[in-house]
Amino acid sequence: MNKILARVPSSARASLAAVGLSVALALSGAAAHAAQVASLNVNLLQNGGAEKGAASSNGSTLVPIPKWGSGGAAVVVSYSLGGGFPGVDSPGSANRGLQFFAGGQNNEQSAITQRVDLSPLLMDIDGGSLTFVLQAWLGGFSSQQDNASLKVEFFDAAGVRLSSGVLPAVTAEERGNVTGMLLRKITGAVPIGTRSAKATLVMRRLAGSYNDGYADGLSLVLKLAQP
């Protein structure tokens, strides 16, 4: 996929990426470790729609991603950028905002993570009465198999992982070889003893130089189980 930054010399792209990554990690790292306090029936993932903070000016230069810790070259892209990226009329959420997550330039895999403190809900959790709903819009570019997946992990007070759930990547065939995103959704039980959760969005490059794993509308909601 020919992205806007491809017109910039490779040496300049490398410099931009290095500087951008340093800025992104420095500015977003502390915020990513500040856990959201949990409540029921609301999205516990802050900035799940990539709307907080500025979008990359060209889809490749790194920018801080508020509320998320990042690795690789993950970026936020505007739906109005053009250049082959998903647009406002591309397949995806009817309630999309102005921006979405993308894997970024010259990397095989990017990831962003966020932790959620679930200890305020310990009575419901340890009573075995909570379920979770994990969902996101996931996709990629044209007929390429670049993709994104979202995972949630549940941990006890000692940091031991109790269980996990994964939204599988959307294939090019499922997208009809059209640039865009499809909705993925899973539900499950919150394990007894859970005190925190971690969400991880992973975007993978399988073709080309740009990591065209795309995601938007990331959401983790806890609910009381139905009798």
Side-chain angles (χ1 to χ4, degrees):
M1 178 179 184
N2 293 323
K3 291 294 188 290
I4 295 172
L5 196 66
R7 304 190 186 109
V8 180
S10 60
S11 58
R13 292 201 303 269
S15 297
L16 284 171
V19 172
L21 179 58
S22 297
V23 172
L25 294 178
L27 296 181
S28 68
H33 295 290
Q36 166 82 332
V37 176
S39 56
L40 297 179
N41 303 310
V42 298
N43 183 9
L44 298 176
L45 299 183
Q46 300 183 80
N47 195 24
E51 296 301 302
K52 297 183 184 295
S56 172
S57 61
N58 53 20
S60 298
T61 302
L62 300 184
V63 294
I65 304 178
K67 306 303 180 182
W68 294 90
S70 62
V75 293
V76 170
V77 178
S78 171
Y79 280 107
S80 63
L81 182 60
F85 287 107
V88 294
D89 296 322
S90 298
S93 173
N95 299 314
R96 75 190 72 183
L98 301 176
Q99 304 175 161
F100 62 94
F101 301 106
Q105 182 75 22
N106 294 328
N107 77 105
E108 293 185 358
Q109 181 169 298
S110 296
I112 59 174
T113 62
Q114 184 176 144
R115 288 188 175 273
V116 182
D117 177 15
L118 300 179
S119 59
L121 302 174
L122 64 88
M123 296 295 289
D124 289 322
I125 292 172
D126 291 349
S129 60
L130 287 190
T131 61
F132 73 88
V133 180
L134 182 71
Q135 69 176 40
W137 290 85
L138 306 173
F141 171 72
S142 187
S143 60
Q144 293 182 1
Q145 293 291 355
D146 294 10
N147 62 72
S149 62
L150 179 64
K151 175 171 68 174
V152 63
E153 300 170 278
F154 296 99
F155 299 88
D156 67 13
V160 176
R161 190 176 76 165
L162 302 177
S163 71
S164 64
V166 179
L167 297 178
V170 173
T171 67
E173 291 76 17
E174 289 176 304
R175 293 185 280 104
N177 295 319
V178 172
T179 299
M181 305 178 217
L182 300 180
L183 181 64
R184 292 290 205 214
K185 179 179 178 179
I186 60 169
T187 61
V190 178
I192 292 173
T194 294
R195 294 296 179 267
S196 67
K198 182 174 77 170
T200 303
L201 173 67
V202 178
M203 293 161 283
R204 304 172 186 84
R205 183 191 72 191
L206 298 177
S209 62
Y210 193 91
N211 183 335
D212 287 295
Y214 305 139
D216 200 357
L218 282 55
S219 175
L220 173 64
V221 177
L222 302 191
K223 299 181 177 183
L224 288 172
Q226 296 299 315

